[in-house]
Amino acid sequence: MTPCLAPATADDLAFCEHLNRTNMAGYLAARGIAWDPERFRASWTEFENLLIVAGGAPIGLLRLLPEGGALGLRDLQVAPAHQRRGVGGWAVRQAQAITLQRGHPRLSLRVYAENPARMLYARMGFVVEAEADGNVHMAWDPHAPRAGS
């Protein structure tokens, strides 16, 4: 079943916060960072929150924010039962298409260095711009030459 994106509403906040908190728990614990529900709720009003929906049910979250001359992919979460099934790659392609549709020159993100999603982003054309404190800053530039082109 092909997923789709749908704007998240206030009714989706609890699902999205739980998914984010659950998926990020190991990374935050490794850094001694406690989950801050108020921080998540504050970002809810700042970010564009898009549900990833399949079969009429939410299975993930994509969060975007224009920042620093780019569209920021601020968060991509997929429910564990739907991971490793192509949903993450599909969501990244959607973010890339939104970047182009809205005229942003690039799509940027940050990912923890040990997060396996880092390999997905590299396969999707993102390049590392900087690494600091276990965070990898990556960007996709649709106009950059690709290897083999």
Side-chain angles (χ1 to χ4, degrees):
M1 105 187 56
T2 302
C4 65
L5 291 177
T9 68
D11 292 339
D12 301 312
L13 176 61
F15 165 80
C16 295
E17 181 181 356
H18 176 76
L19 178 61
N20 193 294
R21 184 178 66 243
T22 302
N23 282 3
M24 297 304 292
Y27 301 110
L28 297 177
R31 289 163 173 76
I33 301 170
W35 177 259
D36 183 353
E38 291 307 314
R39 182 175 178 198
F40 184 86
R41 289 184 192 115
S43 72
W44 186 260
T45 60
E46 183 182 353
F47 296 173
E48 177 180 4
N49 303 290
L50 301 167
L51 287 180
I52 303 169
V53 179
I59 63 166
L61 172 65
L62 177 66
R63 305 179 79 204
L64 305 171
L65 179 70
E67 56 188 2
L71 182 61
L73 194 166
R74 295 303 301 266
D75 201 4
L76 172 56
Q77 301 294 334
V78 176
H82 297 275
Q83 293 175 2
R84 302 192 191 289
R85 295 183 178 185
V87 175
W90 177 88
V92 171
R93 286 189 300 278
Q94 300 310 300
Q96 289 171 325
I98 291 168
T99 300
L100 292 172
Q101 290 166 357
R102 296 182 184 172
H104 293 283
R106 50 194 233 124
L107 179 62
S108 64
L109 60 84
R110 289 184 298 276
V111 62
Y112 288 124
E114 71 274 19
N115 189 327
R118 180 179 176 180
M119 292 178 287
L120 167 67
Y121 299 134
R123 285 193 312 270
M124 304 290 299
F126 286 78
V127 296
V128 173
E129 295 187 324
E131 292 189 49
D133 301 321
N135 291 294
V136 180
H137 299 254
M138 302 179 81
W140 173 75
D141 179 346
H143 306 294
R146 302 283 172 234
S149 46

